[in-house]
Amino acid sequence: PYGEVLMFTGLDYHHPDELGAVIDVTVNGRTHTIDSPTFVTLPAGLPHGPLITRKVDRPYGFLAVSLDGVHKMQETPESGTAQPDDNLIRPFEMRDLRRPNSGNVDFMNAWSGNGVEGFKLNFTWAFHSGVGPFHTHDPHVHPNDECLVFVGTDPDHPDYLGAEIEIGMGTEVEPYVFDVPTVVIAPAGLVHCPLIVRKVERPYCFTAIC
C-alpha cells in the first residue's frame, strides 16, 4: 500500500560498478534479469516478486527503502498483462568523486523521487575510504527528516564497519563516536554535524535517506 525502492549493489570498493550476481526481478508479471547495480522503483499497489537469485560470484548488498514505518504486504494474483514503465528498473553507475584530504564520498550514485508520483524520497549510496570531515560548512539542518546509515563492506563480518566516525548532534553539537554499523536519525530541523571520519581500516558504505 506504499511506494518502495529496491537497490541492488556490489560491495567491492575497487569494482563499484559490479554487482557480482545475476538476479531475476519480476514486476507486474514481467521478469527483468539484472547483473549490475540497479534501482527498482515500485509505486504503491504495483505487484512485484518473486525475486530470484540465479548466480552469485561474490556477496552483494540489498537495500529496501519503504515509504511507511510499518511493513505491510499482501499476495496478489499474477496479472501477466500490464507492462511496467521501463524507467522503473534502472541500472546505476557509481560516479568517481574521490577528493583529497576529505572523509567525504569516493564513489556515489543517488535516487530521487522527483517526477515520480507519491515518492517524497531521495537517497544516496556511496563508498568512502578517506579521513577528515564530510562537509566544509557545518553544522546544518534540513526541512525534512533524514537517516544517515553507515555499513561495512565485509560480508564475512557484517557487524564490522571498518571505520571510526564522530558526529555532532543538537544545538550544543554534542559529539557521538561509533565504530560499528550505525543509523543516525535526524528529524526535520534537528541540528547535526560536523561529521568527521577519524580512522578507516577498510572502505565502508554510506546512505543518506531523506
Side-chain angles (χ1 to χ4, degrees), residues 60-138:
Y60 61 93
F62 172 73
L63 177 69
V65 183
S66 303
L67 294 175
D68 197 292
V70 178
H71 178 65
K72 306 168 189 173
M73 62 182 291
Q74 66 184 54
E75 292 186 8
T76 59
E78 295 183 8
S79 65
T81 54
Q83 298 297 314
D85 185 338
D86 286 335
N87 290 330
L88 298 181
I89 299 178
R90 178 166 58 90
F92 67 89
E93 294 182 358
M94 300 291 282
R95 297 193 300 276
D96 187 338
L97 297 173
R98 281 172 287 192
R99 306 167 188 176
N101 305 317
S102 172
N104 211 328
V105 62
D106 292 352
F107 303 97
M108 187 188 80
N109 205 314
W111 185 96
S112 173
N114 285 338
V116 184
E117 185 177 355
F119 279 88
K120 293 184 178 180
L121 170 72
N122 68 83
F123 66 92
T124 61
W125 179 257
F127 287 94
H128 293 245
S129 68
V131 296
F134 264 39
H135 312 114
T136 55
H137 301 291
D138 274 321

Side-chain angles (χ1 to χ4, degrees), residues 40-210:
V40 179
T41 304
L42 300 169
L46 183 68
H48 56 281
L51 304 177
I52 300 174
T53 305
R54 297 294 184 190
K55 178 183 177 184
V56 177
D57 293 323
R58 55 182 173 273
Y60 61 93
F62 172 73
L63 177 69
V65 183
S66 303
L67 294 175
D68 197 292
V70 178
H71 178 65
K72 306 168 189 173
M73 62 182 291
Q74 66 184 54
E75 292 186 8
T76 59
E78 295 183 8
S79 65
T81 54
Q83 298 297 314
D85 185 338
D86 286 335
N87 290 330
L88 298 181
I89 299 178
R90 178 166 58 90
F92 67 89
E93 294 182 358
M94 300 291 282
R95 297 193 300 276
D96 187 338
L97 297 173
R98 281 172 287 192
R99 306 167 188 176
N101 305 317
S102 172
N104 211 328
V105 62
D106 292 352
F107 303 97
M108 187 188 80
N109 205 314
W111 185 96
S112 173
N114 285 338
V116 184
E117 185 177 355
F119 279 88
K120 293 184 178 180
L121 170 72
N122 68 83
F123 66 92
T124 61
W125 179 257
F127 287 94
H128 293 245
S129 68
V131 296
F134 264 39
H135 312 114
T136 55
H137 301 291
D138 274 321
H140 65 267
V141 299
H142 299 288
N144 51 269
D145 301 327
E146 183 178 52
C147 289
L148 310 177
V149 185
F150 303 81
V151 294
T153 57
D154 185 349
D156 294 321
H157 301 91
D159 293 326
Y160 171 64
L161 177 60
E164 181 180 276
I165 298 173
E166 175 183 322
I167 186 169
M169 298 290 285
T171 54
E172 300 298 322
V173 195
E174 183 176 356
Y176 292 83
V177 178
F178 56 91
D179 60 3
V180 296
T182 297
V183 177
V184 177
I185 300 171
L190 178 71
V191 176
H192 57 288
C193 290
L195 187 59
I196 301 170
V197 182
R198 300 182 1 174
K199 180 173 67 174
V200 175
E201 298 173 343
R202 178 187 175 101
Y204 62 93
C205 289
F206 169 73
T207 175
I209 303 171
C210 302

